[in-house]
Amino acid sequence: ICRIRQQNFEGAIDDYTKAIGCSPDNKNFWYNRVICRIENKDYGKAQEELDFMIHRWTNFSNAYTAKAETYILQKDTVTAAHWLDECVKVDPFNADAWTARANIAISRKEWQAADTLLSKAIHLRPRVAPNYVNRALARCNTNNLRGAMADYDIAIDIDPDNFLAHYNRGLLRQQ
């Protein structure tokens, strides 16, 4: 973990490889090594290890979200969406998966879907200001301006220094 914080991902991979040799059943060691591989942009190895992890620990939802993240980083949102759907089947309470699905919907300009998905993420983890800001964006695009204003207000309550929420709320008030 110290090497990760120093951004020495190769060193961290070596350390996790040794740790896995000592304790091969520790899924957190496997997961952290995968995250290091993703940071090093070694997506092929990361995907191989994630496939192994998903096969071995079928209910470990973080492996599914990591798999989706690797596809997002490779600009393959269709496959990423598939893995996020699998993650939600395994763990419907994974707020990160709902948020990632919503972000894909926003990038596709699927505003109603983004609103619905962000509402689920907010229900599961209500104190995340960027989710309110993004839902406000979706609501502006579906002409739910009162809902958007309420979301900007909540985002500012959670994070008073959130520039984007202040700026967008000001633009919405002006409109």
Side-chain angles (χ1 to χ4, degrees), residues 97-140:
W98 291 106
T99 299
R101 289 176 74 195
N103 289 336
I104 291 172
I106 287 171
S107 71
R108 295 176 178 167
K109 297 184 183 339
E110 297 170 352
W111 305 115
Q112 193 60 49
D115 184 347
T116 302
L117 294 166
L118 283 164
S119 293
K120 289 181 182 180
I122 288 168
H123 174 74
L124 295 170
R125 195 177 299 147
R127 304 287 303 163
V128 180
N131 285 348
Y132 289 98
V133 173
N134 286 336
R135 187 170 72 175
L137 172 67
R139 287 179 169 183
C140 282

Side-chain angles (χ1 to χ4, degrees), residues 43-53 67:
Y43 303 126
K45 280 271 196 196
Q47 291 287 9
E48 287 176 24
E49 290 184 12
L50 286 165
D51 288 338
F52 171 78
M53 290 178 67
K67 193 148 179 76

